Amino acid sequence: SQTIHQWPATLVQPVGSPLSLECTVEGTSNPNLYWYRQAAGRGLQLLFYSVGIGQISSEVPQNLSASRPQDRQFILSSKKLLLSDSGFYLCAWSLVHGSGNTIYFGEGSWLTVV
Amino acid sequence: ELKVEQNPLFLSMQEGKNYTIYCNYSTTSDRLYWYRQDPGKSLESLFVLLSNGAVKQEGRLMASLDTKARLSTLHITAAVHDLSATYFCAVGGGSTLGRLYFGRGTQLTVWP
């Protein structure tokens, strides 16, 4: 069966520090991968998605970047965090087609920028 | 950009009662999702609706889709405390499957 893991689960970072959140998927090949952010009390907003290694699409201009160095690995990064980067970050994956068009979410990473 | 509006945003209901959450969206889409989120947790997939008139039921929850009206509903029957959570609808935008636009969520509290 397929599983998705992301880490770290929680982190507190000072303003101006770098960030790296990692997400891996097991049990499937060539998935579409996604990074979402949820601000407090709000719905989710898509930040980046990737349909293949090295292919990154950005949905909103921001202080963050994403990379996909391997087929089942997706990394969210920042060189210098801002207070507004605080939130709940969720990695997700889907097949390109089939499997009921379901999108599967990871456990999430809580980021607090202080 | 595709806009998704949910209402109500907050819902407090007594156990045993029925209620409906509404999800309107601004442009045509071929897929609509309902998710549940418990406090501090990730999203749990409830329903995937892919065609006009689609209706799916799981326990006390039933979701429907009217693509012509760009409206989906999540109906709660005989609510129980365990249903307390935040419910999100999300609409697919574009051809990339997981490219979703989310509503702000409906925070449901069920009390005895």
Side-chain angles (χ1 to χ4, degrees):
Chain A
S1 63
Q2 301 91 354
T3 57
I4 178 171
H5 298 288
Q6 61 177 105
W7 68 92
T10 306
L11 65 166
V12 179
Q13 296 283 102
V15 170
S17 65
L19 170 73
S20 181
L21 298 179
E22 189 163 340
C23 172
T24 59
V25 179
E26 298 294 333
T28 189
S29 297
N30 196 32
N32 287 350
L33 297 172
Y34 314 87
W35 278 111
Y36 280 87
R37 176 171 61 198
Q38 184 178 27
R42 304 298 296 264
L44 277 69
Q45 181 182 37
L46 180 63
L47 302 177
F48 301 95
Y49 67 92
S50 171
V51 299
I53 296 174
Q55 301 179 59
I56 308 295
S57 296
S58 175
E59 285 291 295
V60 293
Q62 60 209 310
N63 184 43
L64 302 168
S65 62
S67 62
R68 184 171 178 173
Q70 300 180 44
D71 180 45
R72 292 170 292 177
Q73 183 184 28
F74 205 23
I75 298 171
L76 183 68
S77 304
S78 174
K79 292 182 179 179
K80 290 184 178 182
L81 284 168
L82 306 172
L83 286 174
S84 58
D85 291 325
S86 294
F88 189 43
Y89 289 82
L90 287 156
C91 180
W93 76 273
S94 72
L95 295 176
V96 177
H97 302 290
S99 188
N101 295 282
T102 303
I103 294 99
Y104 302 90
F105 285 86
E107 306 95 338
S109 298
W110 285 99
L111 170 64
T112 303
V113 182
V114 296
Chain B
E1 180 180 308
L2 199 157
K3 303 288 186 186
V4 181
E5 290 189 6
Q6 267 182 258
N7 68 84
L9 297 182
F10 299 93
L11 178 56
S12 180
M13 56 190 298
Q14 191 174 15
E15 281 189 330
K17 299 293 186 183
N18 305 330
Y19 208 82
T20 300
I21 300 171
Y22 296 89
C23 175
N24 291 90
Y25 53 100
S26 60
T27 59
T28 302
S29 174
D30 60 358
R31 54 196 188 279
L32 187 138
Y33 301 80
W34 284 97
Y35 288 93
R36 168 181 172 145
Q37 185 179 39
D38 292 301
K41 302 294 185 182
S42 185
L43 272 69
E44 174 190 353
S45 179
L46 296 175
F47 302 107
V48 181
L49 303 170
L50 301 174
S51 60
N52 187 42
V55 177
K56 291 193 175 181
Q57 183 164 5
E58 181 72 33
R60 300 175 188 274
L61 301 178
M62 183 174 70
S64 65
L65 178 61
D66 181 344
T67 58
K68 295 179 181 178
R70 297 176 192 155
L71 170 69
S72 179
T73 60
L74 181 66
H75 186 72
I76 303 159
T77 302
V80 293
H81 178 70
D82 286 351
L83 289 179
S84 297
T86 299
Y87 293 85
F88 291 95
C89 69
V91 179
S95 58
T96 303
L97 192 60
R99 192 178 178 209
L100 303 179
Y101 295 85
F102 279 78
R104 292 186 60 181
T106 297
Q107 187 175 320
L108 171 65
T109 303
V110 181
W111 46 278

